[in-house]
């Protein structure tokens, strides 16, 4: 049983939950995720670790209420318990001193880039963060992200806050202005694909964090398989980070729709 | 003396037409009278070949004698001296290749149904047995040393049992939220009811074994961390969990599962009760299952129970080479499974949304014997044909999960990533032991248990030094 210590609403259907999980907090690193089961009859869903506090023994998860499990999770309150939490899963993001780094976060992906930004800063990179949201109401963690970025550029789809447009528009400008040594992109699959397409032309290595469907999260089922460079990989074991220039995003997007008909039942 | 009956007492089973509509167990078990009658067929021969045929060396003639005398508690006590999962092995052991294969009665008639009798004694215990209710198992004097057991499948549970009996303090670490490993995620309810597995696990708890779920060794704690936490030895029974795929075009289309994923969704996550349970599973109308082992058969029979109108089992060799148990092949036939022998998939085709709609196969013929001693299947040029399906389950085997190997420097591996260990499970790291599928590659429940038992002796010896 894992206790919900704090809970915040960050935006429309966007929840932030802080869980008591000392062992996981002790080991967690940027890029890793947990498998959560929110009730005894619940499914196992992967969620990225958006922050961790080794001293307090807590991890933070940010998610959008999209399906049944995230809706149920969102209904829980501070002091409630969830039955199961497995992690930290997946390989930590490889971070070193790259030089100039552009980090793109989209939607709740902005939460997932936070531990990465922290580590990039610790390793003395110049970090330009591009955060994309749907609209002003959806903007969250601006201060938090800003504190660990050298430049923070915010965009909204409708222009109600920051610049109007897609993150790729801004990224294109950033790439045009200065030499970028490494790019990270975390967000909706379609966004990661667009970023990868753009940076492939410019030949800038781009790491994406894939959000495949999962069951076990530890390599025994293969629900999360993804084609990267003509080869099948398991996102949970070999990822979740992959070189975006080699990921078959079209296949991934189709696979994410596998249970669309069941979910609408 | 009465003449000995040559024909074994058959176990009653649910009729095929009824059982394919539910997940209830297929064979119904012996009634007391039937068990006694079957036990009376045992010759109580001096040679006792059955004992040596058993990977955990159960004193088979003795427990059969006890059943014959209606001493059922005594019968289960005898079994439990060697085997902590009798209700499980009584159901899933391939007795026909082990104890029953060498039974002397088999020379003149049918061998004694040892498995059915083991199951009878174990089921009797679960209903009436003293031990389950009281939760007492004779244990050696308490020792102040702790042993970590990694994995809660047959190997891990057996190691925990043997070491707890010797008085060690045991913690079993499991990545999943439930204990039992392949017994809970893999083998379906209709072959091994989950309630039975949980009673067997509960018994270990009553013996004082601690269980830690959601704890994947190699991630949240490494083997090294376990020693730092105060464990004096580590037993690795992490199994062969990584599903193999064929690497053919279209294998990642929607609606194509590994058998592990399909069975985990249905067995562990109870997707057959969706939406009461939150995990969905595709319920294909026409399903192709690839492979010829017990896992492939389990998947195929599960698909039938989920309501499939047609399930094909596609196997590249012929029926004779199928590694699955004969009993299960027969039951699968009764349930309407259609076998496509000497057939191999070469690619999958999809609809516009990425869902599988056809499998293209090629005909095979058997050539020279390969390293497995079976005739190797060879593709027949130009014999490709397609079958319309909307779900595929790939059950062609598994390889060891690499998480522990990747995170344990100094741990020697062999072959396809199995942990290198001697016959007593000693690995390249002192104090670290391993047995079961992670060492042998895919094998049976009972072989994993046999390995774990030997390993427990070696751990005891190591800790006494």
């Amino acid at each position: 049983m894992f206790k919900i210590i704090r809970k915040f609403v960050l935006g429309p259907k966007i929840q932030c939950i802080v869980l008591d999980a000392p062992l996981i907090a002790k080991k967690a690193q940027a890029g890793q995720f947990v498998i959560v089961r929110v009730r005894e009859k619940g499914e196992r869903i992967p969620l990225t670790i958006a922050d961790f506090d080794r001293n307090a023994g807590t991890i933070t998860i940010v998610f959008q209420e999209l399906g049944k499990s995230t809706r149920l999770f969102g209904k829980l309150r501070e002091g409630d318990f969830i039955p199961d939490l497995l992690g930290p899963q997946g390989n930590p993001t490889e971070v070193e001193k790259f030089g100039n780094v552009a980090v793109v976060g989209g939607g709740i992906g902005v939460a997932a880039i936070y531990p990465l930004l922290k580590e990039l800063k610790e390793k003395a990179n110049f970090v330009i963060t591009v955060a994309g949201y749907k609209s002003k109401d959806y903007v969250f963690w601006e201060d938090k992200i800003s504190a660990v970025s050298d430049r923070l550029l915010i965009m909204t789809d409708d222009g109600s806050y920051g610049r109007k447009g897609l993150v790729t528009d801004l990224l294109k400008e950033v790439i045009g202005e200065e030499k970028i040594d490494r790019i990270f992109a975390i967000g909706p699959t379609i966004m990661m694909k667009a970023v990868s397409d753009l940076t492939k032309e410019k030949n800038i290595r781009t790491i994406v964090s894939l959000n495949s469907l999962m069951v076990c999260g530890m390599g025994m089922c293969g629900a999360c398989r993804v084609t990267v460079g003509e080869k099948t990989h398991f996102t949970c074991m070999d990822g979740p980070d992959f070189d975006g220039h080699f990921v078959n995003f079209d296949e991934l997007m189709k696979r994410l729709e596998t249970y669309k008909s069941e979910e609408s039942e | 003396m009465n003449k000995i009956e040559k024909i074994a007492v058959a176990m009653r089973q649910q009729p095929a037409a009824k059982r394919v509509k539910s997940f209830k167990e297929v064979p119904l078990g012996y009634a007391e009278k039937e068990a006694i009658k079957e036990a009376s067929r045992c010759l109580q021969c001096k040679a006792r070949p059955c004992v040596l045929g058993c990977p955990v060396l159960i004193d088979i003639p003795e427990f059969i004698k006890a059943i014959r005398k209606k001493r059922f508690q005594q019968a289960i006590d005898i079994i439990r001296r060697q085997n902590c999962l009798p209700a499980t092995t009584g159901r899933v052991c391939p007795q026909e290749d082990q104890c029953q294969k060498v039974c002397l009665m088999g020379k003149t008639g049918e061998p004694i149904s040892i498995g059915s009798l083991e199951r009878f004694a174990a089921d009797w215990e679960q209903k009436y047995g003293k031990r389950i209710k009281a939760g007492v198992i004779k244990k050696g004097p308490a020792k102040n040393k702790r042993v970590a057991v990694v994995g809660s499948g047959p190997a891990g549970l057996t190691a925990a049992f043997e070491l707890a009996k010797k008085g060690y303090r045991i913690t079993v670490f499991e990545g999943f939220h439930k204990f039992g490993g392949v017994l809970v995620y893999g083998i379906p309810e209709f072959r091994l009811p989950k309630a039975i597995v949980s009673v067997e696990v509960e018994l270990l708890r009553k013996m004082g074994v601690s269980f830690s779920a959601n704890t994947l060794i190699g991630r949240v704690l490494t083997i090294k961390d376990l020693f730092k936490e105060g464990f004096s030895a580590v037993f690795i029974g992490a199994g062969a969990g990584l599903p193999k795929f064929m690497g053919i075009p279209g294998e990642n289309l929607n609606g194509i599962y590994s058998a592990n994923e399909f069975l985990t969704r249905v067995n562990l996550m109870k997707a057959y009760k969706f939406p009461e349970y939150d995990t969905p599973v595709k319920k294909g109308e026409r399903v192709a299952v690839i492979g010829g082992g017990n896992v492939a058969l389990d998947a195929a029979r599960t698909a039938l129970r989920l309501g499939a109108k047609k399930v094909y089992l596609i196997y590249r060799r012929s029926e004779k080479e199928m590694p699955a148990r004969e009993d299960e092949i027969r039951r699968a036939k009764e349930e309407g499974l259609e076998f496509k022998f000497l057939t191999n998939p070469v690619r999958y085709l999809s609809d516009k949304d990425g869902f599988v709609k056809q499998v293209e196969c090629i005909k095979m013929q058997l050539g020279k014997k390969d390293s497995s001693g079976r005739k190797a299947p060879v593709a027949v040029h130009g014999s490709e044909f397609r079958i319309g399906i909307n779900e595929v389950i790939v059950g062609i085997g598994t390889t060891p999960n690499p998480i522990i190997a990747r995170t344990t420097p100094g741990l020697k591996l062999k072959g396809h990533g199995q942990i290198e260990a001697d016959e007593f499970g000693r690995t390249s790291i002192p104090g670290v032991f391993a047995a079961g599928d992670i060492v042998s590659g895919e094998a049976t429940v009972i072989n994993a248990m046999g390995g774990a038992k030997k390993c427990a002796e070696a751990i005891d010896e190591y800790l006494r030094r």
Side-chain angles (χ1 to χ4, degrees), chain B residues 144-148 169 223-234 463:
Chain B
N144 208 19
K145 283 182 176 160
R146 296 165 68 207
V147 181
R169 290 157 62 203
I223 300 286
K224 202 174 160 191
D225 290 335
L226 292 174
F227 285 107
K228 268 194 255 166
E229 297 274 321
F231 289 98
S232 305
V234 177
L463 292 176

Side-chain angles (χ1 to χ4, degrees), chain A residues 153-222:
Chain A
L153 307 164
I154 291 181
M155 304 205 67
T156 49
D157 293 352
D158 62 0
S160 53
Y161 194 73
R163 286 250 314 253
K164 180 183 165 140
L166 300 172
V167 288
T168 37
D169 302 337
L170 243 178
L171 183 64
K172 207 183 242 170
E173 285 175 27
V174 170
I175 295 170
E177 284 162 17
E178 45 199 314
K179 182 179 169 292
I180 299 294
D181 301 293
R182 179 64 60 103
I183 291 171
F184 292 91
I186 309 180
T189 315
I190 189 87
M191 181 206 90
M192 294 191 285
K193 177 180 156 69
V195 168
S196 299
D197 286 346
L198 171 69
T199 61
K200 199 171 182 176
E201 286 168 29
K202 314 275 178 191
N203 201 21
I204 307 169
R205 196 167 149 90
T206 299
I207 304 300
V208 293
S209 175
L210 302 185
N211 51 345
S212 314
L213 297 181
M214 288 187 190
V215 182
C216 74
M218 49 192 175
M220 63 72 71
C221 81

Side-chain angles (χ1 to χ4, degrees), chain B residues 204-414:
Chain B
L204 290 175
R205 231 191 266 273
K206 287 176 185 165
M207 283 174 72
V209 173
S210 302
F211 284 88
S212 178
N214 299 310
T215 315
L216 186 68
I217 302 304
R219 288 285 189 211
V220 71
L221 291 169
T222 60
I223 300 286
K224 202 174 160 191
D225 290 335
L226 292 174
F227 285 107
K228 268 194 255 166
E229 297 274 321
F231 289 98
S232 305
V234 177
F235 171 84
I236 305 171
L242 211 73
K244 279 190 218 164
F245 286 92
M246 294 176 67
I248 58 177
E251 214 169 15
N252 293 343
L253 289 172
N254 292 358
I256 303 185
Y257 291 111
S258 73
N260 263 9
E261 180 186 354
F262 178 72
L263 291 170
T264 299
R265 282 180 182 273
V266 178
N267 297 331
L268 180 70
M269 308 309 296
K270 308 242 179 286
Y272 65 95
K273 293 183 182 168
F274 180 87
E276 182 198 343
Y277 283 75
D278 299 339
T279 305
V281 68
K282 286 284 162 197
K283 295 176 180 171
E285 276 199 2
R286 296 169 60 82
V287 181
V289 178
I290 319 299
N294 286 315
V295 174
L297 272 189
D298 283 347
R301 296 171 68 195
T302 298
L304 282 169
R305 283 160 174 78
L306 289 176
K309 292 206 173 91
K310 193 89 207 168
V311 179
Y312 300 99
L313 190 102
I314 299 177
Y315 181 50
R316 61 195 180 130
R317 303 178 198 250
S318 73
E319 179 165 359
K320 221 175 73 191
E321 286 83 19
M322 274 181 81
R325 294 187 65 189
E326 273 169 40
D327 276 359
E328 305 301 344
I329 296 171
R330 180 179 41 80
R331 289 181 186 131
K333 279 183 183 164
E334 290 166 5
E335 289 168 13
L337 188 64
E338 186 172 330
F339 291 82
K340 294 270 181 200
F341 292 117
L342 292 167
T343 302
N344 211 19
V346 289
R347 65 176 174 136
Y348 300 101
L349 299 106
S350 76
D351 65 13
K352 64 173 180 12
D353 297 321
F355 285 82
V356 67
K357 64 167 192 187
Q358 276 183 321
V359 52
E360 186 170 301
C361 298
I362 193 161
K363 285 278 179 198
M364 309 293 279
Q365 59 189 25
L366 294 177
K368 283 186 187 148
K369 281 189 180 173
D370 63 12
S371 58
S372 75
R374 297 175 298 177
K375 286 179 181 171
V378 186
V380 178
H381 186 70
S383 67
E384 288 89 346
F385 66 100
R386 291 177 183 180
I387 307 172
I389 38 91
N390 60 0
E391 182 172 347
V392 175
I393 302 159
V394 183
I396 57 166
T398 54
T399 56
N401 191 309
I403 291 180
I404 290 173
R406 282 184 195 169
T407 55
T408 313
L411 187 66
K412 274 196 191 149
L413 305 179
K414 61 180 181 188

